């Protein structure tokens, strides 16, 4: 949810005329961010009589108007202000509940179509689940190498321009 928090912070800063924060943000890295919702957030809503999800969970559902609004705002910053965006997508299902005897409830938390906001760069992390998408295992891990390359590119852009 960190990526959604960053989007909301920038959106709120723009609305409250805290222009320096928005202007000084040169790039964002999203790790399995549910730009268009999460399948996990859809589960309690489908089981409404059993589970009563918090209102904030409703905003994480697939196709949430709030998520679309935030994504459109970041798209505008990308297209008009030159905000660089790097997104990572998970490819493995994530264990949600595990039990004795090896059974487990697993699911894809953020599918690729939600992890890619529709602009910027996308890196698909092979054999990585939602929990581990932001945890490189080594310096040769694609999530580490791509993030480092992205940051170096941003540094070059800022120092040369």
């Amino acid at each position: 949810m960190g990526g959604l928090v960053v989007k909301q912070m920038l959106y709120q800063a723009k609305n409250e005329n805290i222009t320096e924060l928005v202007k000084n943000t040169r790039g964002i890295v999203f790790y399995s961010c549910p730009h268009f919702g999460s399948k996990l957030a859809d589960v309690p809503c489908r089981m409404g009589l059993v589970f009563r999800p918090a209102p904030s969970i409703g905003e994480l559902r697939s196709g949430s108007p709030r998520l679309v609004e935030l994504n459109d705002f970041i798209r505008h910053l990308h297209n008009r202000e030159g905000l660089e965006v790097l997104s990572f997508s998970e490819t493995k299902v994530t264990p949600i509940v595990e039990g004795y005897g090896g059974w487990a409830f697993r699911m894809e938390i953020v599918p690729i179509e939600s992890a890619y906001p529709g602009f910027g760069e996308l890196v698909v992390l092979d054999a990585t689940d939602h929990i581990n998408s932001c945890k490189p295992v080594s310096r040769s891990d694609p999530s580490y190498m791509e993030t480092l390359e992205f940051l170096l590119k941003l540094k070059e852009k800022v120092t040369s321009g």
Side-chain angles (χ1 to χ4, degrees):
M1 284 201 13
L4 296 178
V5 171
V6 169
K7 284 180 162 189
Q8 180 61 41
M9 285 173 40
L10 291 170
Y11 183 84
Q12 193 166 339
K14 181 79 168 179
N15 287 341
E16 294 178 10
N17 292 319
I18 307 172
T19 55
E20 290 301 309
L21 177 64
V22 178
K23 187 178 112 186
N24 290 327
T25 302
R26 303 298 180 104
I28 304 175
V29 177
F30 294 111
Y31 289 94
S32 293
C33 179
H35 299 286
F36 301 106
S38 169
K39 291 180 179 182
L40 184 59
D42 293 341
V43 171
C45 296
R46 289 188 185 136
M47 302 175 74
L49 297 175
V50 179
F51 296 111
R52 294 230 166 134
S56 57
I57 297 298
E59 289 188 356
L60 296 174
R61 289 178 59 196
S62 297
S64 160
R66 181 67 182 144
L67 294 180
V68 171
E69 179 182 25
L70 287 174
N71 199 65
D72 288 345
F73 172 71
I74 298 298
R75 179 192 313 274
H76 171 79
L77 292 179
H78 172 74
N79 291 340
R80 299 263 173 12
E81 311 293 330
L83 179 72
E84 298 290 337
V85 175
L86 173 62
S87 300
F88 290 93
S89 176
E90 65 206 56
T91 54
K92 269 181 64 177
V93 294
T94 301
I96 306 299
V97 178
E98 293 185 9
Y100 293 108
W103 72 271
F105 172 62
R106 297 178 173 93
M107 70 182 309
E108 183 180 35
I109 307 293
V110 180
I112 192 169
E113 56 271 9
S114 187
Y116 181 57
F119 50 90
E121 299 174 50
L122 173 67
V123 176
V124 178
L125 298 172
D126 292 326
T128 302
D129 67 11
H130 187 75
I131 293 169
N132 294 301
S133 65
C134 63
K135 298 175 183 140
V137 295
S138 70
R139 289 184 177 200
S140 62
D141 191 292
S143 62
Y144 178 87
M145 291 178 13
E146 293 287 342
T147 301
L148 179 61
E149 183 179 316
F150 180 79
L151 293 173
L152 292 172
K153 182 174 77 173
L154 281 180
K155 179 183 173 192
E156 177 65 29
K157 186 177 176 181
V158 169
T159 56
S160 67

